[in-house]
Amino acid sequence: MRLQFGWTMIKSYVILLALAISLAICACNNKSDKPAADSSVEVGSSAPDFTLKDITGKNTTLSSYKGKLVLLEFWATWCPPCKASIPDMVELHKKYQEKGFTVLGVSIDTDSDAAAKVAQFSSSNGITYPVLIADEAMPLTYNVMSVPTSFLISRDGIVISSYIGYFDDYSKKVSADIEKHL
């Protein structure tokens, strides 16, 4: 009887573990075939300004990028689609930075050592664009419900486009939007 009860408990734990892993993977938004139609920050409205620390501890504001076209990307180190998007982000930054464009990464990692963890992750994954650490309010300000979520912000601070998730032809779509506004 005890042996049967033990196996039943083990099976229950395995099922719960599988469910927890599935939920964690879904929480960071799966790769889809096309971009979502909208985001919570309205296209055509002013992008909310913020002050966040970068991975070296320096304060950075969105308004300090006025005059540049900015792709504001919310991501996390634990998110597989976010990690998959890094080569595209690096390439977009490299391709257009001489023309007044930048990718501005915003990590939503919340560990007590998030800055060190994100700095190490950025270095080991070849991230060459600025990376900031979100505070608790930042994702709420932009109503970020899943990651990755990105906003293309014009040189005068207006939200031009939003992209939810990492989807097929992401780089092609974002590149076309960037070229329209350079």
Side-chain angles (χ1 to χ4, degrees):
M1 184 76 166
R2 281 187 181 184
L3 186 58
Q4 185 178 16
F5 178 75
W7 282 112
T8 303
M9 289 299 292
I10 291 172
K11 287 178 188 177
S12 296
Y13 286 128
V14 169
I15 290 170
L16 284 173
L17 180 61
L19 180 61
I21 290 170
S22 297
L23 288 173
I25 290 171
C26 291
C28 69
N29 201 6
N30 291 328
K31 185 177 176 184
S32 63
D33 291 335
K34 55 186 174 178
D38 65 352
S39 163
S40 299
V41 171
E42 300 283 327
V43 170
S45 66
S46 292
D49 197 12
F50 56 80
T51 301
L52 297 174
K53 294 199 179 294
D54 69 12
I55 55 178
T56 67
K58 179 182 162 204
N59 281 337
T60 303
T61 62
L62 178 61
S63 56
S64 68
Y65 286 88
K66 200 158 200 144
K68 288 190 177 236
L69 189 61
V70 175
L71 183 64
L72 184 66
E73 188 209 16
F74 291 87
W75 63 281
T77 58
W78 45 262
C79 169
C82 300
K83 189 171 182 178
S85 75
I86 291 170
D88 282 344
M89 296 298 161
V90 168
E91 184 58 33
L92 289 168
H93 181 73
K94 181 180 175 184
K95 182 176 180 180
Y96 296 112
Q97 80 180 82
E98 296 293 320
K99 298 178 181 179
F101 167 80
T102 193
V103 173
L104 192 56
V106 179
S107 169
I108 64 164
D109 287 78
T110 57
D111 305 1
S112 59
D113 63 342
K117 182 179 180 179
V118 172
Q120 197 284 324
F121 180 90
S122 298
S123 175
S124 64
N125 284 280
I127 295 176
T128 56
Y129 48 86
V131 176
L132 311 177
I133 307 299
D135 57 22
E136 289 180 22
M138 181 63 175
L140 297 174
T141 300
Y142 277 80
N143 288 328
V144 173
M145 299 298 172
S146 62
V147 290
T149 294
S150 304
F151 301 91
L152 186 60
I153 301 169
S154 72
R155 294 175 187 271
D156 58 348
I158 304 299
V159 177
I160 298 169
S161 299
S162 62
Y163 315 92
I164 299 174
Y166 180 61
F167 46 87
D168 292 336
D169 294 327
Y170 177 91
S171 184
K172 185 187 245 183
K173 167 69 175 138
V174 175
S175 195
D177 289 347
I178 290 168
E179 289 187 16
K180 281 188 233 175
H181 297 283
L182 279 177

